[in-house]
Amino acid sequence: MDYSKSRICGEIRNHNVLIGSCHIVKNISFSITAGETLVIMGPNGSGKSTLLNSMAGTHATGLTIENEAFEIQGKDVNSLDLFERSNLFSIVPQFPEWQSGLSVEKYFYFSRFNHLRAMGGEDLELLEEIITELKIKNLMKRKMNELSGGELKRISIAAALYQNVPVVFLDEPFQALDPQVKDSLAKFLISWQKNKGTTFIMASHDFYWSYKLASKVVFLKKGETLFQGDLVDTFTSENLKSVYDINFEWVSTANNEGFFHPVGSL
């Protein structure tokens, strides 16, 4: 389905995550339109994964989630049940979980929870497209516990896309991947987004691919927004230094492109 044609947008206002009375994430607000990629960045412990998981409902027990509003496709996410949410968004966790002994094939089957309940069943043509592009067809007969970290990451991304929903949360999608695999994954995500109109909300430490993929950026520090906005205006060496407390320099590449690279203090 081409979600971009339905003008889907997402918005969250004054989102808070607390342990007791202590804020882990405080007053986060942003909006995103269909077919955009919003990248959430910040130092370790800044609240990136907590923010994504609290939005997706996959956060740890014991946390309190509060917000003024959370809407996707004009629907109030806070009022929806699990099945209704599963038709709006999927999530690629930083550390995928599965039942012991589960095969990759079955993992994909159960990832279609939203379609199976609606009697839509599997879409083998779509699955074939995804596993071919991500080069994981050879893993289908394997057990999940037999896979490497990089293989698990690609399987998790494929399963989230296989749900065929308008918004996908991605927590560190480039973690544990080799450079060549990162390159092919990024190209596939760009192509998928162009063809499907999917909106990506991604938490990442990868400066190179974050800059390549993002249309909007939110920089977190100590659980709060330090900077946010469009890529070019927000992803700057000055802002990066403020966020990470280290200098960054621009590295030029071919075709008048480039990326920001951290410069160590040694």
Side-chain angles (χ1 to χ4, degrees):
M1 182 181 295
D2 184 350
Y3 293 103
S4 63
K5 293 180 180 179
S6 58
R7 303 304 303 164
I8 291 170
C9 65
E11 181 181 17
I12 193 159
R13 295 197 302 272
N14 297 327
H15 188 75
N16 296 274
V17 182
L18 303 94
I19 296 180
S21 60
C22 179
H23 279 86
I24 304 175
V25 169
K26 186 176 181 179
N27 294 337
I28 304 298
S29 299
F30 60 78
S31 62
I32 186 168
T33 57
E36 283 191 313
T37 296
L38 182 143
V39 176
I40 302 165
M41 303 190 73
N44 293 328
S46 60
K48 300 184 298 298
S49 294
T50 299
L51 174 57
L52 282 191
N53 284 299
S54 63
M55 292 172 67
T58 55
H59 54 277
T61 57
L63 299 181
T64 300
I65 314 300
E66 300 174 347
N67 54 58
E68 182 180 331
F70 179 23
E71 295 184 354
I72 294 179
Q73 199 178 0
K75 297 180 180 178
D76 177 10
V77 176
N78 296 324
S79 67
L80 303 180
D81 62 24
L82 178 62
F83 172 67
E84 292 170 317
R85 292 184 180 207
S86 72
N87 284 302
L88 289 179
F89 59 80
S90 59
I91 184 168
V92 177
Q94 187 172 0
F95 304 106
E97 297 181 359
W98 62 89
Q99 186 177 2
S100 178
L102 189 69
S103 69
V104 173
E105 284 183 320
K106 285 296 184 182
Y107 185 78
F108 281 117
Y109 176 81
F110 290 123
S111 74
R112 293 273 291 184
F113 163 78
N114 55 329
H115 297 283
L116 293 172
R117 177 171 166 177
M119 304 303 291
E122 294 189 89
D123 185 338
L124 297 182
E125 183 177 345
L126 179 64
L127 180 60
E128 180 71 16
E129 174 190 351
I130 294 170
I131 65 176
T132 299
E133 290 295 329
L134 289 178
K135 299 178 175 60
I136 53 175
K137 190 182 287 192
N138 63 314
L139 303 177
M140 296 298 286
K141 300 298 183 182
R142 301 265 296 277
K143 302 290 186 183
M144 293 290 290
N145 61 294
E146 297 173 349
L147 304 179
S148 70
E151 290 170 337
L152 281 171
K153 182 63 70 174
R154 283 184 287 162
I155 293 295
S156 182
I157 292 169
L161 296 179
Y162 188 39
Q163 289 180 240
N164 202 18
V165 288
V167 177
V168 178
F169 297 102
L170 303 111
D171 194 357
E172 300 290 353
F174 297 101
Q175 186 181 53
L177 300 182
D178 294 332
Q180 186 179 36
V181 178
K182 288 182 180 182
D183 184 72
S184 61
L185 171 60
K187 290 176 180 176
F188 175 61
L189 291 177
I190 291 170
S191 174
W192 178 277
Q193 188 173 61
K194 180 179 179 180
N195 293 329
K196 309 289 187 181
T198 308
T199 300
F200 293 130
I201 301 177
M202 179 175 79
S204 180
H205 280 103
D206 193 302
F207 299 103
Y208 181 84
W209 288 114
S210 292
Y211 190 81
K212 292 295 184 184
L213 295 178
S215 48
K216 290 183 176 179
V217 186
V218 173
F219 283 119
L220 299 183
K221 193 169 187 178
K222 297 180 180 179
E224 298 186 61
T225 301
L226 201 58
F227 306 104
Q228 72 178 83
D230 293 337
L231 174 68
V232 175
D233 296 330
T234 309
F235 208 119
T236 66
S237 57
E238 293 81 6
N239 287 353
L240 286 166
K241 182 178 181 180
S242 296
V243 174
Y244 293 97
D245 299 317
I246 194 171
N247 290 320
F248 284 76
E249 66 178 12
W250 176 258
V251 179
S252 296
T253 59
N255 301 320
N256 294 319
E257 296 184 351
F259 60 96
F260 287 100
H261 183 73
V263 181
S265 58
L266 296 178

